[in-house]
Amino acid sequence: MVRKYVLGTIDYIDKTDGTVTFRTCLKERNKVVLQIGTCDATRALKVAKMVEQDVAGIDLNMGCPKLFSLVGKMGAALLKEPEIATNILKTLVDNLSIPVTCKIRVLPDLDKTLELCELLQSTGISAIAVHGRTVNERPQHMNRNDVLKKISDRLAIPVIANGGSKEIQKYSDIFKFKEITGCSSVMLARAAQWNCSIFSKEGLLPMEDVIKSYLKYAVDCDNSPSNTKYCIQNILREQQESTLGKKFLSSQTLEQICDLWNLIDYCLSKKKEFEEKGLLGRSQVSPMREDGKQDEGQASNKRKISEEEDVTLMHCAFLRNNYVTDLELPKTILHKWTQTQRKKMPNYDTQQKGKLFQSIVTVDGRRYGSSFWEKNKKWAEQGAALVCLFSLGLVNKKALATNCNVPC
């Protein structure tokens, strides 16, 4: 865990690649509930204890129907493993000082659904969220509101109704959904992603206003470009096919995204403010201990990735549109340089996480890479080559700044 005094946030860092896996702040401590996907009670408790002081509650995901969850025996896979699910919940309830909840999907059989809900309630959880569709059903299928009503009538704990985004177009619809299902409260996912002002009594705000407001928050919190882009995609929806939408889809950095909505000055001024306070960008920040001092060995742009070797690492996106011909590409230039210097050809080591790629290039016994995750292997290698070129003095800082979060 790392405290970011410049941003006023509390960050949880993945030690393997330095990325922020969870970011929160004091303002939302009593509001945010962290949902975890797991099939292991011991690991679930370890994570929950780690964040216990920074969140309002812990929720066990028992409803995700995605293949990666099912293969990992998490999410909706737990619906078929009630003993494992109850063990996880009981372990969390007995050892945490904050509320524990879970989210499930209904089963095809009503009686079995009610039986499962009562079993989960017996673990001592504070509430249960229920998506009114089965694992195999999708948004085009009707939400089983009648089943949600029966669950709410049966249980003594609060039941949170989920799955009604298709029926909810405005603020008042939330309460209609609540009344129909008879549940204690309502959980919105897609409807909130489409336009978060759905929660405003004054009515929906225009899409552009929502995007601009969200972008300012993203800049203020140094949010990752990939996550920012994902959220805006959910707001744009079919507008992604518009001229603006297509330009947005080709963007890769927070600066590029802000520029499309006339917020580039705001973005750059914030970036300058952060830099002056010692924050050099999301993946270039020196972790701070609670006493405000930098952790040893973390003050430079180099990040040790093994006991023997260092990697010169910079947060650098490869922007294909910046290069007119293939002869200008970083890999091409680096390849020619090693030939003229009679050195071994560059060797690229690329790793993949989901649909994203990150690469390290070895040149003359030294390793260079970008902490930016690219959408394909070729671009990841180009990003690593660009960092290498800059480190070798073959491109200047101004050229690098076009692609990287490096101050000119």
Side-chain angles (χ1 to χ4, degrees), residues 45 86-101 120-126:
L45 181 60
T86 52
N87 181 41
I88 296 172
L89 291 172
K90 192 77 168 61
T91 299
L92 294 174
V93 169
D94 291 347
N95 292 281
L96 296 178
S97 60
I98 55 178
V100 176
T101 61
L120 297 175
Q121 176 182 246
S122 70
T123 64
I125 56 175
S126 300

Side-chain angles (χ1 to χ4, degrees), residues 366-377:
R366 296 181 180 275
R367 299 169 53 133
Y368 310 86
S370 169
S371 60
F372 193 92
W373 288 85
E374 299 283 4
K375 60 183 180 181
N376 63 56
K377 182 173 180 287

Side-chain angles (χ1 to χ4, degrees), residues 179-199:
E179 183 178 355
I180 291 171
T181 60
C183 291
S184 306
S185 55
V186 173
M187 175 185 289
L188 294 183
R190 288 180 299 123
Q193 287 180 313
W194 295 335
N195 192 324
C196 58
S197 65
I198 188 74
F199 298 110

